[in-house]
Amino acid sequence: MTEKNKIIFFNILIFLIFSLNFSYSDSRFGELTEMRDERMRGKDGQWIRPHPGPFVWNKIERKQGSYSWDEADAQVVYAQEHNQTIIATIWPYSNWEQKSCKRKKARSPFGKHFSKYLSKPCSMDNYKTFLLSLVDRYDGDGNNDMQGLTKPIIYWEIMNEPEFKMFFKGKKDEFIEIFNFSSKIIKEKQKDSIIVMAGAAGMFPENKKFWKYTLPKIKDNFDIANIHHISTPDGKCDKEFWVDEFASLLKTTSINKPIWVTEAMTCGPPVKAYINAFLNGAEVIVDVGINAPGKKMSKKSRKNLNDFITNYDGFSSLKRVSKTEVEFQYKDGSTKAYKLN
């Protein structure tokens, strides 16, 4: 085989691997989940994003070299039993590790179930050891895997809303260092892994300022762009979950990657907001869940959303056919119309 043919073959192989993973779940929908709450364990056959989830350094390696996998294993087992695909959020914080260089304590919104420190790791080597152990347990390569693992974790989200001090107490360049370091370690360990960008907490001016600086410096190290939409305390919403503005921001930084909304909170008709987000480029939308903090969806709206998901999930594309109607296309060539009220 010539060198040119080797390159062509390699590129085709990478394309097939990438395509395979993006079809790992045919669902376009998911939920934030919390195993402690029976109402927030997600739906069968959909995406789940445990939040904050069990993939917290402080939960797994509470003392250096001593690992506790019970909570993470329980999440993976439940997901397997219900055909759910996990988006695993990695939190690079551990109390013992950050005490070692006398980091200042921080206040997280997750209380005692989380780390008391939210700064950059004291030692990136310590963090690397944890990260390799985490990926190794759930990568499905047959070596050091969780016993009974049948559906490996492929989608890894590195950190969460780092522009907010409640989730990361550090500088922009420290976030960039952690993100790029983590992505490279995961990709080296798990060749078919998919890296999800840390979710941007909306497209308010402060968010845009943060991401305009950081996106150009991390864009080569993630596969899926990620935006969150949480309604403001005064109840205001963005009609398409910020997807249009986020897509514009990505374009200014020459980023052309799939867009997922991994936290979607609505304060108006939810189906209309979901359709607007899909029309503007969202590929997957993850609801904040029935019992998440903040404004609650009415029972009627929740039923409308669930009915919509049941009837229209699995579409390959959609288009607007009129001001009041959209059309969903499916892989088998069929279509379904949906009338907007």
Side-chain angles (χ1 to χ4, degrees):
M1 184 182 289
T2 66
E3 190 65 29
K4 182 178 180 181
N5 286 338
K6 286 181 181 178
I7 293 171
I8 293 172
F9 175 78
F10 178 77
N11 288 337
I12 291 172
L13 182 62
I14 292 299
F15 173 79
L16 289 173
I17 291 172
F18 190 77
S19 299
L20 176 65
N21 280 295
F22 274 89
S23 63
Y24 198 62
S25 175
D26 288 331
S27 180
R28 294 283 192 147
F29 302 92
E31 292 183 12
L32 258 65
T33 59
E34 174 52 71
M35 287 292 289
R36 292 185 182 89
D37 189 336
E38 291 183 359
R39 297 167 295 176
M40 287 190 66
R41 292 181 178 173
K43 295 183 176 64
D44 291 8
Q46 292 186 8
W47 297 91
I48 61 166
R49 181 175 176 261
H51 190 65
F55 309 106
V56 183
W57 187 3
N58 192 59
K59 288 185 177 183
I60 293 171
E61 191 182 7
R62 294 173 185 171
K63 295 181 180 179
Q64 188 170 14
S66 178
Y67 295 89
S68 175
W69 299 105
D70 291 352
E71 188 177 344
D73 284 358
Q75 178 69 80
V76 173
V77 169
Y78 185 89
Q80 289 181 169
E81 292 174 346
H82 294 268
N83 192 31
Q84 298 170 334
T85 304
I86 295 173
I87 305 168
T89 306
I90 297 170
W91 302 87
Y93 316 125
S94 186
N95 290 344
W96 68 264
E97 206 276 339
Q98 300 215 357
K99 284 179 182 177
S100 69
C101 61
K102 299 181 179 179
R103 295 279 196 238
K104 291 183 179 179
K105 288 185 178 181
R107 181 176 294 178
S108 87
F110 303 122
K112 64 181 181 180
H113 298 297
F114 204 68
S115 171
K116 295 179 181 179
Y117 300 84
L118 302 172
S119 300
K120 174 189 167 184
C122 298
S123 164
M124 295 302 279
D125 285 337
N126 286 337
Y127 173 53
K128 179 180 178 180
T129 299
F130 157 73
L131 190 56
L132 284 171
S133 298
L134 174 63
V135 177
D136 193 30
R137 188 169 183 82
Y138 302 111
D139 62 4
D141 67 354
N143 295 316
N144 304 314
D145 289 347
M146 179 194 84
Q147 186 175 0
L149 182 68
T150 59
K151 191 171 184 179
I153 296 176
I154 292 175
Y155 295 83
W156 300 97
E157 180 182 10
I158 301 166
M159 304 176 66
N160 173 77
E161 298 183 1
E163 65 265 52
F164 284 170
K165 291 188 182 298
M166 72 176 83
F167 298 118
F168 174 59
K169 194 172 181 181
K171 299 176 181 178
K172 297 185 186 75
D173 286 328
E174 289 178 322
F175 161 70
I176 292 165
E177 181 184 354
I178 297 169
F179 188 94
N180 289 339
F181 180 88
S182 302
S183 176
K184 290 172 182 176
I185 294 298
I186 295 169
K187 288 285 190 180
E188 288 172 4
K189 180 69 184 71
Q190 185 182 20
K191 303 301 181 185
D192 60 348
S193 59
I194 302 296
I195 304 299
V196 183
M197 169 194 144
M203 284 286 100
F204 295 104
E206 60 269 32
N207 306 116
K208 288 184 178 180
K209 182 179 179 182
F210 180 92
W211 291 106
K212 279 181 180 178
Y213 179 84
T214 56
L215 276 170
K217 297 175 175 62
I218 67 170
K219 67 180 183 179
D220 294 331
N221 290 300
F222 67 88
D223 304 300
I224 296 171
N226 185 9
I227 183 71
H228 292 170
H229 179 268
I230 303 297
S231 57
T232 58
D234 57 5
K236 291 183 180 179
C237 284
D238 186 76
K239 64 181 181 179
E240 58 281 298
F241 296 151
W242 298 114
V243 175
D244 57 340
E245 292 185 47
F246 186 49
S248 296
L249 176 61
L250 293 173
K251 187 175 181 180
T252 65
T253 52
S254 301
I255 296 173
N256 182 23
K257 297 185 181 184
I259 296 174
W260 290 10
V261 182
T262 63
E263 288 187 25
M265 177 184 286
T266 62
C267 55
V271 176
K272 188 174 182 179
Y274 272 61
I275 288 174
N276 283 335
F278 284 130
L279 286 170
N280 279 276
E283 293 196 359
V284 171
I285 300 179
V286 178
D287 177 51
V288 293
I290 193 169
N291 201 35
K295 185 177 177 63
K296 301 294 187 290
M297 198 182 297
S298 70
K299 289 183 179 179
K300 181 180 178 180
S301 292
R302 175 66 64 184
K303 182 180 184 303
N304 289 341
L305 179 59
N306 287 337
D307 289 346
F308 169 70
I309 291 172
T310 298
N311 292 321
Y312 290 88
D313 199 4
F315 63 90
S316 55
S317 62
L318 78 161
K319 64 180 179 180
R320 185 181 291 276
V321 294
S322 72
K323 289 183 178 180
T324 58
E325 187 174 322
V326 294
E327 183 181 81
F328 294 84
Q329 295 88 37
Y330 295 82
K331 291 178 182 178
D332 63 2
S334 64
T335 62
K336 289 182 182 179
Y338 185 91
K339 291 190 178 295
L340 298 165
N341 296 327

